[in-house]
Structure formats: structure tokens, C-alpha cells
Amino acid sequence: MKRLTIFLSAVLLLTSCAQMNSAYLLSGGSKVLQAATISDEQIQSYCAQYVQQLDAQSPVLPESSAYVKRVRNMTRNFTSVNGVPLNFQVYSTKDVNAFACADGSVRVYSGLLDVMTDDEVLGVIGHEIGHVAMKHSKKQFKQALLTSAVRDAVVSTGGTIAALSASQLGDLGEALMSAKYSRKQENEADDYGYAFLKEHGKNPWAMAMAFEELLYLSTGSASAGTQAAANSAVNEIFSDHPATESRIQRMSAKATADGYKRPSK
């Protein structure tokens, strides 16, 4: 749902070639062509380097944390997606967010855990993993490589994975934060999260209820303290997504058609 989004949701080619720097294309089109063929291994390695820096700069909670224990319990059966091992960490922050990356990194914010039930959090996690499973994250990360200053470092290695500097990783992060998932991709990830819940024996109504909670926070209906902590992050998550009300209606209709009853909180 955001921030590599990463993420962090790293994610599809959202910016056309026409939007790239025209002078660069004219003088270095061969570099762009070479970069366009970078391997999955390279993308996963660069993504891992980026997430490693994020983790180093973020308040990652220890294994002894109740938040981490909760996430470990919720995700104990989730080991990989498309053959890529999943790894989960929890950031201590009041922001209401989560993201997944092309290298299998999934980061959950404690603020999300504060406002949602386990099944609702799993719906959000399923949505984010959906971006990875359908290779949206890989494509977004690849696009960020192509449109950031990192592209020269990538193409100059001739297929060998480069060790990116802190400044290059920072530039890559800026490119990632400006990238957006398309509305089609968001709907696809919603469907994946819905199916993810069903597959793991959960009531898929949790997808609609998670969106309801995010809408509740973003519209100013929450308490002042919760609102101040969460509103900006929630608004950023949904600033370019399909209308939240439409997503709620869509997920609710699917759950009703599948014969599920809405659970009580």
C-alpha cells in the first residue's frame, strides 16, 4: 500500500519512456535498453540493499516485542511467494502502513497493528504480498532503477550486481516514493488479499473491514490523538488508489456472494 511502495509495498512500469529524461534517451538509449534487461537476481539484490538501509534507519522492534510476536504468530505459515522467501519485520511507528518488496521483505508498522484485528492486518499483508506475487513490486523497483541516478551504476556493471552507496540508495528511495501502483494493480492486489484470506481459512470480510478502518482514520472521524498519528500516512496510502468506498463495496460484495457473514469486531 505505499512506501516502497513498498513498498515499499517495491512494482509495474508506471512511467512511460516518454516521461524519462529525453536528453538521456537521445544520448544513452543503449544504457536504457541494457538496464531494461536486468535480471530478477539483480532486482532482488538491489531491493535487499535498499531494505537493509531502511531497516538500519528505522525503529525495528526486537523479537521480544509483543507486536513482533503477534506478527510472527499471524504469518507463521507464510514462507515464500513465487519461490522468493518472505521475511517480516515490524517498525515501531504510529503510522498506519505496511509494504512488501520484490526481495520478499514485508514490513508492518505497529500503528497498523494498533487499529486492526489480526484478520484485517492479514488482509493488508495479503494485499502487499499480492503486489509481489503478481510482480508489480519487481516492475516498480525496476522502473525506479531506470529513472534514478542509480541507473548508471547498474548498467556499468554489465550484469554484475553493484554495491550501492548510501546516496544512491537515497536517490533510489526518492524514485520509489514517487512511483505509484495503477488502479488496475491495486484491484488485482485487493483480489489477491481476498483470496489469501480464504486460502488460509480466514473470513475475507476482513478485507472490506480493513478498508473501512482506513477510511475511518482518513476522514477525520477517529479520536484526535489517533487521527493526528495516522491521518497523513493513511491519506498518502490512498492518495492515488481506487476510491476507498468503491473498494469496500467491491470486497463486501465478493464476501456476500461467497456466502460469508460479516463478523463482529
Side-chain angles (χ1 to χ4, degrees):
M1 304 162 69
K2 159 200 152 184
R3 237 171 237 188
L4 267 193
T5 168
I6 71 187
F7 18 174
L8 104 199
S9 146
V11 283
L12 181 62
L13 189 61
L14 303 176
T15 307
S16 69
C17 291
Q19 292 174 296
M20 294 182 187
N21 184 291
S22 58
Y24 181 83
L25 288 175
L26 289 172
S27 63
S30 61
K31 285 187 177 182
V32 173
L33 178 61
Q34 182 181 355
T37 63
I38 61 177
S39 68
D40 287 357
E41 181 185 12
Q42 285 177 288
I43 291 173
Q44 290 175 11
S45 176
Y46 292 130
C47 188
Q49 290 182 52
Y50 177 69
V51 175
Q52 184 177 23
Q53 185 191 61
L54 278 183
D55 287 351
Q57 297 173 345
S58 303
V60 178
L61 288 170
E63 292 297 315
S64 59
S65 165
Y67 288 109
V68 175
K69 290 178 180 178
R70 183 180 167 195
V71 170
R72 294 281 179 261
N73 183 59
M74 284 190 289
T75 62
R76 61 184 180 276
N77 296 322
F78 314 148
T79 58
S80 66
V81 57
N82 292 350
V84 178
L86 295 171
N87 67 89
F88 295 85
Q89 295 291 349
V90 181
Y91 289 171
S92 178
T93 171
K94 292 182 178 180
D95 290 348
V96 180
N97 202 6
F99 64 82
C101 307
D103 71 327
S105 296
V106 182
R107 299 297 180 260
V108 182
Y109 292 24
S110 61
L112 185 74
L113 295 164
D114 285 334
V115 300
M116 291 190 182
T117 66
D118 284 4
D119 285 0
E120 290 166 0
V121 172
L122 280 179
V124 173
I125 289 175
H127 171 101
E128 296 302 329
I129 291 176
H131 283 306
V132 176
M134 291 177 283
K135 301 188 177 181
H136 301 160
S137 298
K138 184 184 81 171
K139 293 174 182 177
Q140 185 192 49
F141 200 86
K142 179 177 178 179
Q143 177 64 16
L145 287 173
L146 291 174
T147 57
S148 70
V150 183
R151 63 192 172 197
D152 288 332
V154 172
V155 300
S156 67
T157 62
T160 302
I161 296 168
L164 302 180
S165 67
S167 62
Q168 288 172 327
L169 289 170
D171 185 79
L172 179 59
E174 290 182 7
L176 284 165
M177 290 186 72
S178 67
K180 300 288 185 181
Y181 290 120
S182 70
R183 294 196 172 194
K184 178 182 177 183
Q185 288 174 317
E186 290 295 353
N187 283 331
E188 289 174 347
D190 288 350
D191 288 339
Y192 188 97
Y194 180 93
F196 180 86
L197 288 169
K198 288 180 62 176
E199 180 184 350
H200 292 92
K202 306 298 183 180
N203 188 332
W205 261 102
M207 282 298 297
M209 295 171 73
F211 292 142
E212 287 174 351
E213 188 63 50
L214 291 171
L215 180 63
Y216 175 73
L217 290 171
S218 67
T219 56
S221 301
S223 65
T226 302
Q227 186 68 36
N231 191 46
S232 63
V234 173
N235 284 334
E236 186 172 354
I237 291 171
F238 286 102
S239 62
D240 196 41
H241 286 201
T244 309
E245 293 91 340
S246 296
R247 298 171 82 178
I248 293 169
Q249 292 171 4
R250 189 164 168 270
M251 292 294 99
S252 299
K254 283 174 69 72
T256 300
D258 285 345
Y260 288 92
K261 292 184 178 180
R262 180 188 176 102
S264 58
K265 278 278 193 178

